[in-house]
Amino acid sequence: MAEFSDYIVYVDESGDHSLTSIDADFPVFSLSFCVVKKDEYLSQVVPAMQALKFKYWGHDSVVLHEHEIRKSKGDFTFLLTDRSLREQFYEDLNQVMVDAPITIIASVIDKVKLTAKYANPWSPYDLALHFCLERLQAFLRENGQEGRLTHVVFECRGKAEDDDLELTFRRIVAGEGHWGYRKHKFEIMEFEPKFAKKSVNSTGLQLADLTARPLALRTLRPGQSNRALEVIMTKMGAVKEFP
């Protein structure tokens, strides 16, 4: 049996990766890897998230989703009714992020610039995934994880999409997905993709979900004030904007 890594990685995205129909209002794609030590995830991250849920809902079956929080939908409609409660919720949620011992590795692809620069560009998802895996490998190597098996957890999107993503992932780590002037050597690490349904209510996936859009907005609207982004940037291990 493989020796497991001390770290686990949770992944989420913001924006779509289509190059045939680019949304003029959101022409970027971001991919965020939230990397966390397993012992700290168990002892700090999960309890803090559970405490937040019990405080505001009285149970822990709620799934924190950035879009629903931002739009005050579903389980978050209470944010519309009481301004002081809304402000307290955001303060508490930001504190969970502040306290979370996570490292964020991210990539943001400007699809307009990408299509303008390259005649036959790679998929923004493939590019972002490649960038993030390169930097994840460097991070793990620096932290003594060489030769260990690291799981990278994605949220399920549908069988066909998940199958395509897994194939792309495995090709990249097998060294078949290199581009540009050099071939990156992934074989010194072992990576395994895992896919989890939203109903699993993964704390790690919810943290990743809270990071992807603010990072996209950093590229799309530089200089715009964003409290969530301010917190996220204190956790940043690496971010690659391309092209």
Side-chain angles (χ1 to χ4, degrees):
M1 189 171 91
E3 183 179 3
F4 296 132
S5 170
D6 292 331
Y7 294 83
I8 189 163
V9 185
Y10 296 95
V11 183
D12 201 46
E13 65 198 69
S14 182
D16 67 79
H17 46 91
S18 171
L19 293 177
T20 57
S21 178
I22 298 177
D23 182 353
D25 293 326
F26 205 85
V28 296
F29 173 79
S30 71
L31 193 67
S32 179
F33 281 22
C34 284
V35 189
V36 59
K37 290 192 76 173
K38 293 172 183 175
D39 59 349
E40 293 178 338
Y41 181 73
L42 290 171
S43 64
Q44 299 179 49
V45 179
V46 173
M49 186 71 85
Q50 299 299 87
L52 179 79
K53 293 180 180 182
F54 281 125
K55 177 177 179 178
Y56 286 96
W57 290 277
H59 60 84
D60 62 351
S61 63
V62 173
V63 176
L64 298 184
H65 190 266
E66 188 274 341
H67 176 77
E68 293 183 351
I69 295 172
R70 180 164 43 88
K71 297 293 186 180
S72 300
K73 290 183 174 181
D75 288 312
F76 305 93
T77 53
F78 75 91
L79 298 175
L80 293 170
T81 61
D82 187 326
R83 180 177 179 179
S84 63
L85 184 61
R86 180 173 67 250
E87 291 175 350
Q88 184 62 54
F89 171 77
Y90 276 110
E91 183 178 327
D92 289 344
L93 180 60
N94 278 331
Q95 194 61 48
V96 169
M97 293 296 293
V98 168
D99 294 339
I102 59 175
T103 298
I104 299 169
I105 296 171
S107 181
V108 183
I109 309 298
D110 185 318
K111 297 190 293 182
V112 173
K113 291 181 180 179
L114 183 68
T115 53
K117 186 172 182 177
Y118 298 97
N120 296 293
W122 274 26
S123 158
Y125 204 120
D126 293 2
L127 282 168
L129 183 60
H130 199 289
F131 286 138
C132 289
L133 283 169
E134 280 190 355
R135 283 151 183 77
L136 173 62
Q137 184 191 54
F139 172 87
L140 293 172
R141 193 173 188 179
E142 290 169 2
N143 285 277
Q145 304 303 301
E146 191 166 334
R148 297 185 179 185
L149 174 60
T150 301
H151 291 97
V152 182
V153 185
F154 300 84
E155 185 173 282
C156 292
R157 299 177 298 168
K159 188 178 187 310
E161 287 182 291
D162 293 346
D163 288 347
D164 286 346
L165 174 54
E166 182 173 359
L167 180 61
T168 299
F169 184 102
R170 293 192 183 282
R171 282 177 172 169
I172 290 173
V173 298
E176 299 172 11
H178 67 283
W179 62 280
Y181 63 92
R182 65 187 174 90
K183 179 177 180 179
H184 193 84
K185 294 183 178 180
F186 284 98
E187 59 267 23
I188 61 172
M189 298 289 181
E190 189 174 354
F191 296 105
E192 180 70 21
K194 301 299 293 183
F195 294 86
K197 295 180 179 179
K198 189 174 183 178
S199 59
V200 169
N201 203 345
S202 164
T203 294
L205 284 177
Q206 289 167 73
L207 278 179
D209 176 81
L210 294 170
T211 66
R213 181 178 171 83
L215 287 167
L217 292 175
R218 174 175 177 265
T219 296
L220 188 60
R221 302 166 194 164
Q224 178 176 292
S225 178
N226 188 322
R227 172 58 178 154
L229 179 62
E230 292 173 9
V231 174
I232 289 166
M233 293 308 294
T234 67
K235 311 290 183 179
M236 191 59 62
V239 58
K240 172 73 172 181
E241 296 179 330
F242 190 83

